[in-house]
Amino acid sequence: MKTTVVSYPRIGAHRELKFAVQKYFKHEIDAVTLGETARELRRVNWQALTVAGLDQIPSGDFSYFDTTLDTANLLNIVPQRYRELHLAPLDEYFAQARGYQGPKGDVTALSMKKWFNTNYHYLVPEFEESTDVKLVGTKLFDEFKEAQVQGYQTRPTIVGPFTLLKLAAFNGTKTAEDYVPALVTAYTDVLSRLAELGADWVQLDEPALVKDQSAADKALFKALYTPLLAAKNSLKVLLQTYFGDLRDSYDDVVNQAFDGIGLDFVEGAQTAELVKTHGFPADKILFAGVINGKNIWRAHYDEKLALIQSLPVKDDQLVLTTSCSLLHVPYTVANEPKLAQHYKRYLAFAAEKLTELTDLKAIATGTNQAELQANQQLFATPRYQENEAITKQVAALKSSDFNREPDRATRLKIQADEFNLPVLPTTTIGSFPQTREVRQNRAKFKRGEITREQYDAFNKHEIKQWIEFQEKIGLDVLVHGEFERNDMVEYFGEKLDGFIFTQNAWVQSYGTRCVKPPIIWGDVARTQPITVAESVYAQSLTDKPVKGMLTGPVTILNWSFTREDLSPQESTYQIALAIQAEVLDLERHGIKIIQIDEAALRENLPLRKTDWYPRYLDWAIPAFRLVHSKVQPTTQIHTHMCYSEFGDIIEAIDAIDADVISFEASRADLTLLDTLQEDHFQTHVGPGVYDIHSPRVPSEEEVATTIHKILAKLPLDNVWINPDCGLKTRGTTETVASLENVVAATKQVRGELVHEGR
């Protein structure tokens, strides 16, 4: 029996990579200095995995931005528009990730989407007619050799060809099948090169296999892997899956010439049964994902040991591993000195999960029973006290609590008279730049260096400045800017009972963007106003409507580390009741437009369509409806969703019964519009007109062109104009210029519409 992990966090225990890359973007350091930081982070990770006692350690899981982008660049899958910039290789790579606007050209970034059912984002590979797939990069090999020099024999890991094709966009007449021969050759060259360098194993990540597999999918998988595995020679190939089970293709996978197969025994609802019923080949190694790679609770050793002992494989056929990459959890509980020991003893971040793996191996092989006894004692008593009032309130919910009256069409007519907004009303998604000064003000207050009055005075000054800016440029519906908020979920959790918080438990979301998810410890309840003061102050400064800005219950759940002892439905309904109380409080204080963001609604959608409604949407959609079901018809409810593929659940989204919804759409080239048109989407909609995750400033002409594209698909009276997400991560200068261009472009289009008599 051996141990390993799928992959390890790369951002740095103290976000060292984030800060180094940001310095590179600002030209404060050069590529050589950035490379030194990267090498040190890799060294620290390899050492940590070795010291923890793991038998195999991965390489290739490090990335400056995204490993899917790394794999595409390794194989020459780089769209021509980036090549034509003639940038240095690293800058060309970052241009794909962030876009580029400078002396050598102006290009937008690759599309960015959620990585399966996580809050991590990947860059979508683009295949063009001219794409010449072949091995050109050296990163994978350089890092393997780097580890060798330091005395580590690693297992290189890259995204497999099946998942690469399933995630990609094809800009031309060619389909995925057309690229199969070239991909087989390219991956064969990868395996050959690794074998030459002395690698024993290579890991090919194929999470796309856990989704519904059609006959065409199975044929594609076979067309890729049959010739590839025939050419692997002495190199051992691990097929690594995660986020689900292989119920559609288990036999197809195990009958291929893989040397190891990685299966998820945490999220894979049928994984254990598949292995027990169908058996597991005696000539392969089972990499059993028994430790949860996505949540932060200590593993219950009795349960894990029972699972391990039930598997029909010999000890020398078994490698204990994580259910998925540890990218999705923080580095270590040791970085939380202020967190009470009562809490910490129940938590396992990435470093602690390494210990759990080695503990399980030792216990299973009969060499460490003390850790088993300690773990049994931990789980012998409840860790929190139930809030009976909130659990009874959830139990008492009835169907009428989830329905708003009157119907949406009637409400929208009432609201049109109430607000008297122009056609194509303009707004933003909510946040404005979190400048260094804003962050310093919050940090000083937390450290006790300034008083509450000083803290609030600073934030009021920021709110006033940005309200004045919004009025000056002519936005129609304003926002207060959210300067008091550290994170759209953490901020709300801090105001609610049932959450605990960390100092340094950062998790990578995309590129240099990190989040610090709160932990849902117990029952959730609202005990105080959360956003009322800032919203009321902002509204007092203007006659234009100011949106109240809230985070929705499903997003709060999905962007937190959730309980494992309570169903997601019940936990979400608890949160929904808390946010409902905040909505009604805002309404009582004169806030007439309230945005309830559900940015992560699709994120936790089960990967198999048959599970979508019974396991998720049947309670996720009602949870949102519960939040706004009691407001007056004159109160307009907005929501926002971003960086996911919404087309296949558009009917469910319409059913949340919001009045207005803003979507991220610009980075996906507005492809969502076709679906909205085909499905006769009834909610008024604001497709994002420019990508805020790139530093480039859209021109007035560019935005006007985008608006015309939107109006070609959607009814004029249903369209709002807004950026595609919040602006907290952007700089002030680019934010001001971008919004000025958005408003100017909207006014230009309005004038054209008047001229056309519309």
Side-chain angles (χ1 to χ4, degrees), residues 594-640:
I594 301 172
Q595 181 172 309
I596 308 161
D597 287 345
E598 284 292 17
L601 176 68
R602 197 189 194 284
E603 182 174 301
N604 228 18
L605 188 75
L607 297 178
R608 294 182 178 277
K609 291 184 178 181
T610 52
D611 294 333
W612 283 2
Y613 279 88
R615 287 186 53 198
Y616 185 65
L617 292 174
D618 281 346
W619 55 261
I621 298 305
F624 187 92
R625 295 170 66 103
L626 177 61
V627 169
H628 68 87
S629 61
K630 297 183 183 300
V631 299
Q632 298 299 312
T634 50
T635 297
Q636 189 170 81
I637 298 297
H638 290 225
T639 189
H640 172 69

Side-chain angles (χ1 to χ4, degrees), residues 414-465:
I414 294 171
Q415 292 162 13
D417 293 336
E418 176 75 17
F419 298 113
N420 194 30
L421 295 171
V423 294
L424 304 177
T426 56
T427 188
T428 67
I429 302 305
S431 58
F432 278 124
Q434 292 260 327
T435 62
R436 177 178 298 179
E437 292 76 18
V438 169
R439 296 193 303 271
Q440 286 177 340
N441 181 59
R442 188 162 54 243
K444 287 179 180 179
F445 178 62
K446 286 189 173 182
R447 293 194 298 263
E449 297 174 7
I450 59 175
T451 65
R452 179 82 207 194
E453 289 73 20
Q454 290 172 308
Y455 171 75
D456 288 341
F458 176 93
N459 286 338
K460 285 185 175 181
H461 176 72
E462 292 294 310
I463 292 170
K464 186 173 187 295
Q465 280 192 316

Side-chain angles (χ1 to χ4, degrees), residues 1-2 280-282 284-286 308 311-319:
M1 188 180 300
K2 297 184 182 300
F280 191 82
K284 302 186 193 305
I285 304 296
L286 173 58
I308 293 167
L311 298 175
V313 294
K314 299 176 181 178
D315 281 357
D316 61 0
Q317 253 189 291
L318 186 62
V319 178

